[in-house]
Amino acid sequence: MQQEEIWDVDAAQRYDTPDAGMFAPEVLGPTVDRLAELAGDGRALEFAIGTGRVAVPLAERGVPVTGIELSGPMIERLREKVDEAAIPVVVGDMATATAPGEYTLVYLVYNTISNLLTQAEQVECFRNAARHLAPGGRFVIELWVPELRKLPPGSEAVVWRSEPGYIGLDTYDVLRQQVVSHHVRFDDTKQARLTRSPHRYIWPAELDLMAQLGGFALESRHADWTGTEFTADCRSHVSVYRLEK
């Protein structure tokens, strides 16, 4: 399944969940606060900008934001919120597409780097970030930690969320370092809706090596956007890399 097939018109129409999920103020607020702090007085570039979940409130904070996005339907949803003058968007892949100008901050949120399905593409994503950054600029990645420790012997699947109306599970191919996320949504009827997306999972140590190949050094790593300590039990991390070249 290609990324263009996943992020189609239907996905774009269902993506925004105002005040809930990843749009909840307690989730989005700290994200924008931290990114605004890291951008400082400079410009920010969001890889895989989507419908502008983060970019729109970040721009409202006074940070000039540009985006790169592969999905036309996602860009159309963004354009319902702001025009091209407010948040310019380059259509293309985050590993190869280039945006004009120089930035103090490039960022990738909510596991998006895992949408690149090969190690080579993920390394190129770091190199692409480096091409856009001013000396000393930062590349920020929010990413989940693979939950392989939860896999029972002989099993390929982990249920990572179960709540009324929703079940989320991941199926792992540990030989190829691939995972497919399955999202099952249901109500009181007999019908359920299934959506799936493929990913390549990345261990934090592997991510750090990719950063080195791109000319970055790890500046900080926390469990979330508020600066909670990252430990072996954390399910995700926010990693800040500084460009050394």
Side-chain angles (χ1 to χ4, degrees):
M1 184 177 293
Q2 301 298 314
Q3 293 299 323
E4 294 92 332
E5 297 177 88
I6 297 168
W7 305 109
D8 58 10
V9 173
D10 183 55
Q13 290 176 343
R14 293 184 292 103
Y15 191 80
D16 290 4
T17 56
D19 298 323
M22 59 182 171
F23 285 82
E26 63 270 21
V27 175
L28 188 54
T31 305
V32 174
D33 289 344
R34 181 67 172 137
L35 291 173
E37 175 188 350
L38 291 169
D41 296 327
R43 303 168 63 210
L45 174 63
E46 180 171 357
F47 285 175
I49 194 171
T51 68
R53 178 182 73 95
V54 174
V56 171
L58 185 60
E60 290 172 349
R61 291 279 293 270
V63 178
V65 181
T66 298
I68 290 176
E69 175 57 51
L70 186 64
S71 167
M74 298 290 275
I75 296 173
E76 290 177 9
R77 289 285 289 174
L78 171 61
R79 288 290 163 252
E80 295 174 9
K81 305 171 186 178
V82 296
D83 61 22
E84 180 74 15
I87 300 180
V89 176
V90 174
V91 180
D93 187 286
M94 58 184 150
T96 58
T98 56
E102 190 174 68
Y103 302 84
T104 60
L105 176 69
V106 178
Y107 64 94
L108 263 175
V109 296
Y110 222 78
N111 309 320
T112 313
I113 193 172
S114 69
N115 290 345
L116 299 170
L117 299 181
T118 69
Q119 186 183 69
E121 288 176 313
Q122 291 168 348
V123 170
E124 283 306 309
C125 185
F126 274 92
R127 290 175 173 153
N128 198 27
R131 284 192 287 269
H132 287 91
L133 284 168
R138 295 180 174 96
F139 185 28
V140 181
I141 295 177
E142 179 185 21
L143 186 61
W144 99 99
V145 177
E147 297 189 292
L148 296 184
R149 290 185 298 176
K150 293 184 178 180
L151 275 177
S155 175
E156 298 179 351
V158 169
V159 176
W160 52 271
R161 182 179 299 171
S162 179
E163 59 190 37
Y166 177 80
I167 296 174
L169 63 91
D170 289 335
T171 53
Y172 284 86
D173 180 344
V174 296
L175 180 62
R176 296 173 179 81
Q177 209 161 314
Q178 301 287 314
V179 60
V180 177
S181 291
H182 307 256
H183 308 274
V184 183
R185 295 174 175 86
F186 53 91
D187 52 26
D188 294 333
T189 70
K190 296 180 179 180
Q191 303 298 317
R193 180 185 182 89
L194 170 65
T195 56
R196 296 176 297 163
S197 58
H199 305 272
R200 181 183 186 273
Y201 62 84
I202 314 170
W203 297 104
E206 183 188 9
L207 198 71
D208 294 347
L209 182 56
M210 291 179 181
Q212 291 181 40
L213 293 173
F216 293 91
L218 180 66
E219 183 175 85
S220 66
R221 172 169 290 135
H222 294 97
D224 54 33
W225 293 99
T226 65
T228 303
E229 181 184 3
F230 180 73
T231 69
D233 295 322
C234 291
R235 298 181 62 185
S236 62
H237 59 92
V238 175
S239 297
V240 179
Y241 297 97
R242 182 183 285 273
L243 185 64
E244 292 191 308
K245 295 181 179 179

mmCIF file of all heavy atoms in Angstrom, residues 102-123:
data_model
loop_
_atom_site.group_PDB
_atom_site.id
_atom_site.type_symbol
_atom_site.label_atom_id
_atom_site.label_comp_id
_atom_site.label_asym_id
_atom_site.label_seq_id
_atom_site.Cartn_x
_atom_site.Cartn_y
_atom_site.Cartn_z
ATOM 1 N N GLU A 102 15.870 29.203 4.373
ATOM 2 C CA GLU A 102 16.638 28.555 5.443
ATOM 3 C C GLU A 102 15.833 28.635 6.734
ATOM 4 O O GLU A 102 15.113 29.602 6.974
ATOM 5 C CB GLU A 102 17.986 29.266 5.601
ATOM 6 C CG GLU A 102 18.970 28.562 6.495
ATOM 7 C CD GLU A 102 20.328 29.246 6.485
ATOM 8 O OE1 GLU A 102 20.420 30.379 7.010
ATOM 9 O OE2 GLU A 102 21.289 28.662 5.956
ATOM 10 N N TYR A 103 15.986 27.606 7.574
ATOM 11 C CA TYR A 103 15.138 27.467 8.760
ATOM 12 C C TYR A 103 15.989 27.226 10.009
ATOM 13 O O TYR A 103 17.090 26.675 9.922
ATOM 14 C CB TYR A 103 14.154 26.309 8.573
ATOM 15 C CG TYR A 103 13.275 26.480 7.352
ATOM 16 C CD1 TYR A 103 13.723 26.090 6.092
ATOM 17 C CD2 TYR A 103 12.018 27.058 7.456
ATOM 18 C CE1 TYR A 103 12.929 26.268 4.963
ATOM 19 C CE2 TYR A 103 11.219 27.245 6.334
ATOM 20 C CZ TYR A 103 11.682 26.846 5.091
ATOM 21 O OH TYR A 103 10.899 27.033 3.974
ATOM 22 N N THR A 104 15.440 27.627 11.150
ATOM 23 C CA THR A 104 16.092 27.297 12.421
ATOM 24 C C THR A 104 15.557 25.996 12.997
ATOM 25 O O THR A 104 16.183 25.400 13.870
ATOM 26 C CB THR A 104 15.870 28.413 13.464
ATOM 27 O OG1 THR A 104 14.468 28.579 13.698
ATOM 28 C CG2 THR A 104 16.461 29.726 12.987
ATOM 29 N N LEU A 105 14.390 25.553 12.487
ATOM 30 C CA LEU A 105 13.741 24.354 13.026
ATOM 31 C C LEU A 105 13.068 23.575 11.908
ATOM 32 O O LEU A 105 12.338 24.139 11.094
ATOM 33 C CB LEU A 105 12.697 24.749 14.074
ATOM 34 C CG LEU A 105 11.845 23.621 14.671
ATOM 35 C CD1 LEU A 105 12.707 22.716 15.546
ATOM 36 C CD2 LEU A 105 10.674 24.181 15.476
ATOM 37 N N VAL A 106 13.336 22.275 11.867
ATOM 38 C CA VAL A 106 12.570 21.328 11.060
ATOM 39 C C VAL A 106 11.984 20.317 12.033
ATOM 40 O O VAL A 106 12.672 19.880 12.962
ATOM 41 C CB VAL A 106 13.450 20.617 10.012
ATOM 42 C CG1 VAL A 106 12.626 19.592 9.231
ATOM 43 C CG2 VAL A 106 14.080 21.627 9.058
ATOM 44 N N TYR A 107 10.724 19.948 11.841
ATOM 45 C CA TYR A 107 10.122 19.013 12.799
ATOM 46 C C TYR A 107 9.216 18.003 12.107
ATOM 47 O O TYR A 107 8.634 18.257 11.057
ATOM 48 C CB TYR A 107 9.370 19.758 13.907
ATOM 49 C CG TYR A 107 8.180 20.562 13.468
ATOM 50 C CD1 TYR A 107 6.892 20.016 13.490
ATOM 51 C CD2 TYR A 107 8.312 21.889 13.062
ATOM 52 C CE1 TYR A 107 5.789 20.759 13.110
ATOM 53 C CE2 TYR A 107 7.213 22.646 12.687
ATOM 54 C CZ TYR A 107 5.954 22.073 12.709
ATOM 55 O OH TYR A 107 4.859 22.812 12.329
ATOM 56 N N LEU A 108 9.129 16.839 12.749
ATOM 57 C CA LEU A 108 8.298 15.712 12.333
ATOM 58 C C LEU A 108 7.561 15.209 13.565
ATOM 59 O O LEU A 108 8.200 14.775 14.523
ATOM 60 C CB LEU A 108 9.162 14.578 11.788
ATOM 61 C CG LEU A 108 9.370 14.430 10.293
ATOM 62 C CD1 LEU A 108 10.366 13.316 10.019
ATOM 63 C CD2 LEU A 108 8.069 14.124 9.586
ATOM 64 N N VAL A 109 6.249 15.258 13.563
ATOM 65 C CA VAL A 109 5.494 14.892 14.759
ATOM 66 C C VAL A 109 4.697 13.610 14.549
ATOM 67 O O VAL A 109 4.472 13.156 13.431
ATOM 68 C CB VAL A 109 4.554 16.045 15.188
ATOM 69 C CG1 VAL A 109 5.362 17.265 15.597
ATOM 70 C CG2 VAL A 109 3.576 16.401 14.078
ATOM 71 N N TYR A 110 4.270 13.056 15.658
ATOM 72 C CA TYR A 110 3.304 11.952 15.707
ATOM 73 C C TYR A 110 3.712 10.772 14.823
ATOM 74 O O TYR A 110 2.923 10.270 14.013
ATOM 75 C CB TYR A 110 1.898 12.453 15.345
ATOM 76 C CG TYR A 110 0.824 11.871 16.235
ATOM 77 C CD1 TYR A 110 0.631 12.362 17.518
ATOM 78 C CD2 TYR A 110 0.027 10.827 15.799
ATOM 79 C CE1 TYR A 110 -0.345 11.835 18.350
ATOM 80 C CE2 TYR A 110 -0.950 10.278 16.614
ATOM 81 C CZ TYR A 110 -1.131 10.787 17.892
ATOM 82 O OH TYR A 110 -2.087 10.255 18.701
ATOM 83 N N ASN A 111 4.969 10.344 14.965
ATOM 84 C CA ASN A 111 5.459 9.088 14.359
ATOM 85 C C ASN A 111 5.611 9.138 12.843
ATOM 86 O O ASN A 111 5.786 8.090 12.205
ATOM 87 C CB ASN A 111 4.533 7.910 14.713
ATOM 88 C CG ASN A 111 4.260 7.801 16.182
ATOM 89 O OD1 ASN A 111 5.144 7.993 17.011
ATOM 90 N ND2 ASN A 111 3.023 7.499 16.547
ATOM 91 N N THR A 112 5.569 10.328 12.252
ATOM 92 C CA THR A 112 5.478 10.413 10.794
ATOM 93 C C THR A 112 6.704 9.881 10.076
ATOM 94 O O THR A 112 6.595 9.391 8.946
ATOM 95 C CB THR A 112 5.212 11.872 10.367
ATOM 96 O OG1 THR A 112 4.161 12.414 11.163
ATOM 97 C CG2 THR A 112 4.800 11.934 8.914
ATOM 98 N N ILE A 113 7.879 9.946 10.676
ATOM 99 C CA ILE A 113 9.061 9.439 9.989
ATOM 100 C C ILE A 113 8.932 7.947 9.699
ATOM 101 O O ILE A 113 9.514 7.435 8.742
ATOM 102 C CB ILE A 113 10.355 9.725 10.786
ATOM 103 C CG1 ILE A 113 11.581 9.466 9.896
ATOM 104 C CG2 ILE A 113 10.400 8.929 12.087
ATOM 105 C CD1 ILE A 113 12.887 9.913 10.521
ATOM 106 N N SER A 114 8.128 7.233 10.481
ATOM 107 C CA SER A 114 7.957 5.794 10.254
ATOM 108 C C SER A 114 7.135 5.501 9.005
ATOM 109 O O SER A 114 7.065 4.350 8.567
ATOM 110 C CB SER A 114 7.311 5.127 11.474
ATOM 111 O OG SER A 114 5.956 5.533 11.616
ATOM 112 N N ASN A 115 6.513 6.533 8.407
ATOM 113 C CA ASN A 115 5.813 6.332 7.143
ATOM 114 C C ASN A 115 6.784 6.059 5.997
ATOM 115 O O ASN A 115 6.381 5.544 4.956
ATOM 116 C CB ASN A 115 4.957 7.552 6.800
ATOM 117 C CG ASN A 115 3.766 7.708 7.715
ATOM 118 O OD1 ASN A 115 3.392 6.791 8.428
ATOM 119 N ND2 ASN A 115 3.161 8.876 7.712
ATOM 120 N N LEU A 116 8.052 6.426 6.183
ATOM 121 C CA LEU A 116 9.083 6.062 5.226
ATOM 122 C C LEU A 116 9.469 4.612 5.517
ATOM 123 O O LEU A 116 9.890 4.292 6.624
ATOM 124 C CB LEU A 116 10.295 6.983 5.363
ATOM 125 C CG LEU A 116 10.004 8.468 5.093
ATOM 126 C CD1 LEU A 116 11.202 9.319 5.501
ATOM 127 C CD2 LEU A 116 9.648 8.700 3.634
ATOM 128 N N LEU A 117 9.348 3.740 4.537
ATOM 129 C CA LEU A 117 9.349 2.304 4.806
ATOM 130 C C LEU A 117 10.691 1.618 4.645
ATOM 131 O O LEU A 117 10.774 0.394 4.786
ATOM 132 C CB LEU A 117 8.304 1.618 3.913
ATOM 133 C CG LEU A 117 6.857 2.095 4.122
ATOM 134 C CD1 LEU A 117 5.908 1.342 3.202
ATOM 135 C CD2 LEU A 117 6.438 1.945 5.576
ATOM 136 N N THR A 118 11.751 2.376 4.367
ATOM 137 C CA THR A 118 13.085 1.781 4.309
ATOM 138 C C THR A 118 14.041 2.603 5.159
ATOM 139 O O THR A 118 13.837 3.807 5.372
ATOM 140 C CB THR A 118 13.632 1.714 2.870
ATOM 141 O OG1 THR A 118 13.913 3.040 2.404
ATOM 142 C CG2 THR A 118 12.643 1.025 1.935
ATOM 143 N N GLN A 119 15.090 1.946 5.616
ATOM 144 C CA GLN A 119 16.109 2.649 6.387
ATOM 145 C C GLN A 119 16.765 3.739 5.556
ATOM 146 O O GLN A 119 17.053 4.835 6.040
ATOM 147 C CB GLN A 119 17.160 1.658 6.884
ATOM 148 C CG GLN A 119 18.189 2.255 7.827
ATOM 149 C CD GLN A 119 19.238 1.231 8.223
ATOM 150 O OE1 GLN A 119 20.044 0.813 7.392
ATOM 151 N NE2 GLN A 119 19.212 0.813 9.486
ATOM 152 N N ALA A 120 17.007 3.452 4.281
ATOM 153 C CA ALA A 120 17.646 4.431 3.400
ATOM 154 C C ALA A 120 16.814 5.705 3.289
ATOM 155 O O ALA A 120 17.343 6.823 3.331
ATOM 156 C CB ALA A 120 17.875 3.822 2.022
ATOM 157 N N GLU A 121 15.489 5.558 3.149
ATOM 158 C CA GLU A 121 14.621 6.731 3.058
ATOM 159 C C GLU A 121 14.639 7.518 4.364
ATOM 160 O O GLU A 121 14.622 8.761 4.353
ATOM 161 C CB GLU A 121 13.195 6.300 2.733
ATOM 162 C CG GLU A 121 12.988 5.800 1.323
ATOM 163 C CD GLU A 121 11.576 5.310 1.099
ATOM 164 O OE1 GLU A 121 11.059 4.543 1.942
ATOM 165 O OE2 GLU A 121 10.980 5.696 0.082
ATOM 166 N N GLN A 122 14.671 6.826 5.486
ATOM 167 C CA GLN A 122 14.685 7.517 6.769
ATOM 168 C C GLN A 122 15.991 8.287 6.971
ATOM 169 O O GLN A 122 15.984 9.406 7.489
ATOM 170 C CB GLN A 122 14.441 6.503 7.883
ATOM 171 C CG GLN A 122 13.017 5.945 7.864
ATOM 172 C CD GLN A 122 12.814 4.739 8.757
ATOM 173 O OE1 GLN A 122 13.765 4.137 9.247
ATOM 174 N NE2 GLN A 122 11.558 4.363 8.981
ATOM 175 N N VAL A 123 17.104 7.711 6.535
ATOM 176 C CA VAL A 123 18.378 8.431 6.593
ATOM 177 C C VAL A 123 18.318 9.666 5.698
ATOM 178 O O VAL A 123 18.790 10.753 6.070
ATOM 179 C CB VAL A 123 19.543 7.512 6.195
ATOM 180 C CG1 VAL A 123 20.829 8.319 6.029
ATOM 181 C CG2 VAL A 123 19.744 6.417 7.230
#
